Amino acid sequence: MTNLETELLKSGFTAKEVGHLKRNVERYGSSLLEVVLELGNRFRMVISITIGVMILFVALVLFSEQHNIISGGVSLVIVLLITWFFQPPVITYKAWRYRKKYLNSAEAE
């Protein structure tokens, strides 16, 4: 087990999740650190999309007719479901948290 794998386990990843990440690295040919960084970036992107959808829904509520609010709200929920379905939310959150805690603190030193 490498140092990075040990750090990932200490930061909240399960052994099964680390194994999944390692299989992904073997299959697509990058490094474990690159995969973790990419997952952290994806979490930030999904959060940005979620905030954007919330802003759009607030605009719908404030400026639209009732039937437009309902249809717009349903379509925005579908957008969120698709967005969160294609990103594993738990593992991307853990990668973001790992990046924020370990990598940003290492850069500060």
Side-chain angles (χ1 to χ4, degrees), residues 5-55:
E5 292 172 19
T6 306
E7 284 182 356
L8 290 174
L9 290 172
K10 287 181 182 177
S11 70
F13 282 86
T14 64
K16 183 178 179 182
E17 291 168 339
V18 172
H20 180 70
L21 292 176
K22 284 174 58 177
R23 280 192 305 278
N24 191 1
V25 166
E26 292 169 2
R27 193 175 304 149
Y28 298 110
S30 63
S31 71
L32 189 58
L33 182 60
E34 289 175 358
V35 170
V36 171
L37 293 176
E38 179 63 30
L39 285 172
N41 287 338
R42 286 182 183 189
F43 180 77
R44 289 176 38 198
M45 183 58 68
V46 168
I47 292 298
S48 300
I49 291 170
T50 302
I51 290 171
V53 165
M54 292 162 111
I55 291 170

Side-chain angles (χ1 to χ4, degrees), residues 40-102:
N41 287 338
R42 286 182 183 189
F43 180 77
R44 289 176 38 198
M45 183 58 68
V46 168
I47 292 298
S48 300
I49 291 170
T50 302
I51 290 171
V53 165
M54 292 162 111
I55 291 170
L56 284 173
F57 184 71
V58 168
L60 272 174
V61 169
L62 294 177
F63 303 113
S64 295
E65 300 290 327
Q66 172 101 21
H67 64 279
N68 289 339
I69 293 172
I70 293 170
S71 63
V74 168
S75 63
L76 291 175
V77 166
I78 291 170
V79 166
L80 283 179
L81 289 174
I82 291 170
T83 302
W84 283 97
F85 176 76
F86 285 111
Q87 305 302 321
V90 174
I91 201 166
T92 55
Y93 170 72
K94 289 178 182 180
W96 172 78
R97 189 179 62 192
Y98 172 81
R99 179 181 179 166
K100 184 177 176 183
K101 184 176 181 181
Y102 289 96

